[in-house]
Amino acid sequence: MQRRRVKNSVTASIKDGVAWALMSGFADPYGVPFALALGAAPMGIGLLRSLPPLASSFCQLFSEKLVLVLGRCKRALLLAVGLQAASLFAAAAVIFLPLRLALPFFIALTVVYTVAGNMAAPPWAVMMGEYIPPSRRGNFFGFRSRLLGIVFFAASFAAARILGLWEQGVLWGFFLVFAAAGLFRVVSFYYLTLMYEPRNSYHLPRGAGVDFISSFDLRRGRIPALFFSVFVLLFATYLSAPFFGVYALEDLRCSYPRYMVLMSVGPLLTYLFMRRWGAVADRYGSVKVLKAAFVLIPAVPLLWTLSRNFYYLAAVEICSGVIWGAFLIGMNNFIYEAAPAHSRTGYNAFYGFISGIAQSGGALLGGWLYGRLPAAPGSAFIPLLLLSAVIRALALIPLFALVKDTRGAAGGTPADLLAGIAGFGR
């Protein structure tokens, strides 16, 4: 009976994921264009992309407490998902507000949307950890992510077409897009109700938190060192990331379909290649996959500075998507490897915490620098990209110095990893 429940829960998690990808494809790439349509300046975009992760980072520290108070991971998950759906419907409705109020309310609702989504992640991860055996996690999460990536790309394209049809009244287009995203999250909520949570409390947090938060010393272990490297990498990434949309729409004058391609082709390739990265991580260990990602990620902003050609930039985003797939699957597997079941909520929450702080700090600094850096050539975004690349490279130092693979996975050279990601076994 329990085996059947677990199988049905895995099936429900895939359907939930499809609905989530539809929601994400409609909402996530179009927050910045919606804000621009509401009259946002670069600093407003910085606030839009910094306040949500900042709020989420602190709320993440209470996700373990929320599970403890409610007594079940599933209850905490459903509460967060329901709140996220409500925030999308409310965000769609800001077009009915006076313009001077619409942007502040949209930013506030984006904060709620992001906080709720991030609060849902740790209990969801704990439940999935009970369903999938360790030897198959990389393969399963890679398969699921590839499916979600295809759906995400299709949803983003559909949203772009809707916005294109409403060019003369684009705010109504955004209303339809964000209301549809809310409906997709309601469908996701339904499938989450079908997931089974074991009655034993082995997987539940024990209230101790993550034991290195109070003594964050890089010399004490590979987990603090890795999290510090992640902080530096994400801070540098979000120094420029919030303004890719501004650059594409205002400097490159992209249409919504072309904007959609530049903003979505990377995530699509991330999802498509995560199954292969998952197989590589299962074979060679998550640490090797993470190190490959950290080496390659600094090249992405440098490549963006070389040309303004749409097709070239789309190719760069394809490469970026493959590289970030390695980062995401590596971090996902590393937490499962490093943390016992009862601590995974706390570890996932702390990962969300440092990610949120890094994103908000990077976005705020980027928003401040965007209008102050000298334009070269023709845009302040170019020196911002160069600065981002330099700081991303600094994240390599603690990672390579202090983070070792202790799982006993098969040895692998860079050539082995490339062969694995290309689909050739070694």
Side-chain angles (χ1 to χ4, degrees):
M1 178 63 71
Q2 182 170 334
R3 187 185 184 105
R4 182 182 301 170
R5 286 179 173 177
V6 168
K7 183 178 180 180
N8 291 340
S9 296
V10 172
T11 301
S13 77
I14 294 173
K15 294 178 179 178
D16 148 61
V18 169
W20 172 88
L22 288 167
M23 173 205 73
S24 183
F26 266 64
D28 291 351
Y30 298 103
V32 169
F34 197 175
L36 290 173
L38 294 172
M43 195 60 199
I45 300 300
L47 289 172
L48 176 69
R49 298 300 299 271
S50 63
L51 293 181
L54 179 64
S56 295
S57 65
F58 286 102
C59 290
Q60 281 282 354
L61 297 179
F62 298 98
S63 62
E64 189 175 36
K65 183 68 174 177
L66 180 64
V67 173
L68 285 169
V69 169
L70 296 178
R72 311 299 292 168
C73 286
K74 186 173 176 179
R75 292 172 187 164
L77 174 60
L78 292 176
L79 177 63
V81 170
L83 182 60
Q84 191 174 42
S87 70
L88 285 166
F89 290 122
V94 300
I95 69 165
F96 301 109
L97 295 174
L99 200 58
R100 62 186 176 80
L101 297 177
L103 181 61
F105 270 88
F106 180 70
I107 293 174
L109 289 164
T110 303
V111 170
V112 176
Y113 168 81
T114 307
V115 168
N118 286 348
M119 290 288 283
W124 181 88
V126 170
M127 291 174 63
M128 294 304 298
E130 293 299 294
Y131 303 149
I132 312 298
S135 62
R136 299 187 60 189
R137 281 177 188 146
N139 188 58
F140 171 78
F141 287 117
F143 158 76
R144 185 179 182 275
S145 296
R146 183 168 65 178
L147 173 63
L148 269 53
I150 295 171
V151 176
F152 174 89
F153 187 81
S156 297
F157 184 79
R161 296 298 297 167
I162 291 171
L163 293 173
L165 293 173
W166 287 86
E167 280 193 38
Q168 300 306 314
V170 71
L171 288 179
W172 282 104
F174 284 115
F175 171 81
L176 293 174
V177 165
F178 277 77
L183 288 173
F184 291 133
R185 198 46 163 161
V186 171
V187 174
S188 168
F189 180 94
Y190 166 73
Y191 283 114
L192 289 170
T193 64
L194 304 181
M195 291 174 65
Y196 162 71
E197 182 174 6
R199 292 188 178 276
N200 66 67
S201 59
Y202 173 74
H203 63 291
L204 293 177
R206 299 176 183 174
V210 182
D211 57 10
F212 60 83
I213 291 179
S214 60
S215 55
F216 194 78
D217 184 349
L218 296 184
R219 298 168 297 177
R220 295 189 60 173
R222 63 192 189 124
I223 299 175
L226 174 60
F227 278 14
F228 182 76
S229 289
V230 168
F231 174 85
V232 175
L233 179 73
L234 294 180
F235 177 88
T237 298
Y238 275 81
L239 197 66
S240 59
F243 307 101
F244 279 93
V246 178
Y247 181 65
L249 290 170
E250 296 191 344
D251 291 355
L252 302 182
R253 301 294 180 184
C254 288
S255 64
Y256 280 117
R258 285 198 168 194
Y259 167 84
M260 180 279 299
V261 170
L262 290 180
M263 296 300 107
S264 300
V265 71
L268 173 65
L269 268 292
T270 294
Y271 290 126
L272 289 179
F273 274 81
M274 279 181 74
R275 186 173 188 179
R276 290 191 178 180
W277 280 123
V280 172
D282 286 342
R283 179 173 176 81
Y284 298 110
S286 59
V287 173
K288 290 186 177 68
V289 170
L290 280 169
K291 288 182 176 180
F294 271 72
V295 168
L296 295 171
I297 284 172
V300 175
L302 292 178
L303 293 173
W304 263 79
T305 66
L306 299 181
S307 174
R308 296 164 66 98
N309 180 270
F310 166 76
Y311 298 101
Y312 167 81
L313 294 176
V316 172
E317 282 304 288
I318 288 172
C319 296
S320 174
V322 175
I323 296 167
W324 280 101
F327 173 81
L328 293 175
I329 204 71
M331 282 303 301
N332 181 79
N333 278 24
F334 182 87
I335 291 175
Y336 279 118
E337 292 171 12
H342 65 269
S343 296
R344 285 175 189 149
T345 301
Y347 276 73
N348 276 287
F350 191 70
Y351 171 47
F353 171 73
I354 63 166
S355 298
I357 293 293
Q359 291 175 31
S360 61
L364 278 175
L365 180 59
W368 184 80
L369 290 173
Y370 195 91
R372 290 169 172 79
L373 291 173
S379 173
F381 188 58
I382 301 302
L384 199 62
L385 286 171
L386 296 173
L387 179 61
S388 174
V390 171
I391 302 176
R392 293 185 201 198
L394 295 177
L396 293 167
I397 298 172
L399 177 72
F400 278 80
L402 298 170
V403 181
K404 309 299 180 184
D405 190 354
T406 61
R407 199 189 72 168
T413 65
D416 293 325
L417 268 64
L418 286 175
I421 197 61
F424 301 102
R426 286 206 173 196

